[in-house]
Amino acid sequence: SLKITLLSGRLEASKAGSPVSYRGVEVGAVNDCQLSSNALTVETHVFINRHYANLVRNNSKFWNVSGLDAKFGLFRGLNINVESIKSLVVGGIAFATPNDPKDAAPAKDGTVFAFNEEPKKEWLEWNPEIMVPSEK
């Protein structure tokens, strides 16, 4: 498996066992969370299943999925987005990789990423073609 660290200013909803997803598919999990050695940031240690490790590039973006995302519009009614039932209960993390994955090398064990509170709109539109090896 691939082991990476996400840094944030404070602990979000994620905790040990929280799912890590790519396009809604669970590809890993949170191992543990702890304060950094200088207590300025929170380190969230994540493992990505070996089968999906190639999806994580040096320029991938990670964000908090805190379950329920509800938006109400006068003309469109209530729009509810639930990443997954498990994320609703225990919190979770999602990530995306930019459209040209060849611009960045696959992440290696120990790579550190920023852990964002929410995704930017363009991250949700990224749609790269990245080979995922068959499970054998």
Side-chain angles (χ1 to χ4, degrees):
S1 64
L2 173 67
K3 295 174 181 158
I4 57 174
T5 300
L6 308 180
L7 290 183
S8 58
R10 55 174 304 193
L11 183 62
E12 300 298 336
S14 301
K15 60 184 179 181
S18 294
V20 176
S21 64
Y22 183 84
R23 297 178 170 276
V25 174
E26 191 171 330
V27 297
V30 173
N31 193 34
D32 64 41
C33 303
Q34 65 186 38
L35 284 172
S36 61
S37 59
N38 61 7
L40 291 176
T41 58
V42 173
E43 297 176 352
T44 300
H45 299 117
V46 168
F47 73 88
I48 304 294
N49 294 330
R50 186 185 47 168
H51 180 70
Y52 296 111
N54 197 37
L55 297 171
V56 183
R57 302 297 173 128
N58 290 334
N59 58 354
S60 293
K61 302 294 184 186
F62 292 80
W63 63 89
N64 183 45
V65 176
S66 56
L68 188 63
D69 177 16
K71 295 180 181 148
F72 182 78
L74 186 58
F75 297 106
R76 69 171 189 246
L78 182 63
N79 179 26
I80 298 176
N81 177 20
V82 177
E83 184 77 20
S84 75
I85 296 301
K86 188 173 180 182
S87 293
L88 180 61
V89 175
V90 298
I93 296 169
F95 72 97
T97 297
N99 282 332
D100 193 351
K102 296 178 189 95
D103 284 349
K108 295 189 179 337
D109 275 348
T111 302
V112 176
F113 295 90
F115 187 17
N116 302 279
E117 286 186 36
E118 59 186 34
K120 292 186 178 175
K121 185 175 181 247
E122 65 264 21
W123 300 351
L124 300 175
E125 295 170 357
W126 289 341
N127 190 23
E129 182 176 338
I130 301 174
M131 296 306 294
V132 175
S134 61
E135 290 187 80
K136 287 187 180 179

